[in-house]
Amino acid sequence: MSAAIHGPHASEAVANAAERRWAIIVASIIALLVLMMVVTGLHWAAMPPSRVETVDVKTLHLRGEFVESNLGTTLQPDGRVMVRLIAQQYAFVPNCLVVPEGVPVTFRGTATDAIHGFVVGRTNANTMLIPGFVATFTTTFPKAGEQLMPCHEYCGTGHEAMWARVRILPREEFLAKAKSLQSSGERLSCVPG
Ligand code: CUA
């Protein structure tokens, strides 16, 4: 018995024990790293970053903020100007937006099918529209006139033809139009009258 412990077999046993110790240490480090990845992954999935606003694509056209009658420009009771729009293959609804010159305008938009986006002429109005999420930003248009608003995210074969117009009215003209519609709850449109 004792002969088996001493001699060449003994050093082999010591080497094996050391190997096993290292294997356990390395496996523990790998397990710890994998655990960290799983925990941070689950944490990110469960806790979206702040200011992310979601919307149900399936009921978008049926109820809530983005029903068709609620799309377009409104003058809020607090005096803010709000534009709501949706993007779908291959058009914006509405396809012509009316906004005032020199007044902050808040945009709220989303998409129904694919990722779209838009930029308004040479202004800083520029956003992506992603199904399931509400994009919002506020900007001011410094000059009256008409600007083109093309889709700037490749969204399919009709992408090149997907664009809308933005009509920027002088402040007084816009406010007069908006106030005349406020009682009826209608949205401002590019249709004259
Ligand atoms: Cu919509 Cu490109």
Side-chain angles (χ1 to χ4, degrees):
M1 279 288 268
S2 62
I5 294 169
H6 300 288
H9 293 294
S11 59
E12 197 183 320
V14 169
N16 282 343
E19 281 293 330
R20 210 172 303 119
R21 225 176 11 252
W22 273 113
I24 289 167
I25 290 169
V26 170
S28 308
I29 291 170
I30 291 170
L32 182 70
L33 291 175
V34 169
L35 188 71
M36 277 164 64
M37 281 159 65
V38 169
V39 169
T40 50
L42 287 176
H43 177 77
W44 274 99
M47 307 269 288
S50 59
R51 288 198 76 252
V52 167
E53 209 182 319
T54 57
V55 66
D56 187 356
V57 176
K58 294 193 293 296
T59 58
L60 209 57
H61 59 300
L62 298 175
R63 57 176 175 266
E65 186 181 349
F66 293 98
V67 293
E68 193 161 359
S69 59
N70 201 37
L71 300 177
T73 309
T74 47
L75 188 60
Q76 307 283 99
D78 61 3
R80 286 190 309 145
V81 177
M82 175 76 78
V83 176
R84 291 191 179 83
L85 75 160
I86 57 171
Q88 58 198 22
Q89 286 165 327
Y90 297 99
F92 293 99
V93 183
N95 69 3
C96 180
L97 307 171
V98 178
V99 296
E101 170 191 14
V103 176
V105 178
T106 299
F107 284 81
R108 285 176 63 76
T110 188
T112 61
D113 41 29
I115 294 178
H116 302 272
F118 67 85
V119 58
V120 179
R122 276 171 298 223
T123 72
N124 69 348
N126 186 338
T127 192
M128 281 171 83
L129 299 169
I130 303 167
F133 295 89
V134 177
T136 181
F137 67 91
T138 301
T139 189
T140 305
F141 297 95
K143 234 174 84 208
E146 197 160 286
Q147 302 267 7
L148 288 180
M149 185 181 118
C151 177
H152 68 13
E153 291 287 335
Y154 183 76
C155 53
T157 51
H159 166 71
E160 299 297 326
M162 182 169 172
W163 53 275
R165 282 172 301 141
V166 177
R167 189 167 296 165
I168 304 151
L169 299 178
R171 187 191 155 99
E172 297 312 317
E173 189 184 338
F174 174 88
L175 290 176
K177 268 194 170 192
K179 281 185 181 137
S180 72
L181 289 176
Q182 216 166 22
S183 54
S184 68
E186 264 184 79
R187 306 297 177 237
L188 258 82
S189 76
C190 292
V191 181

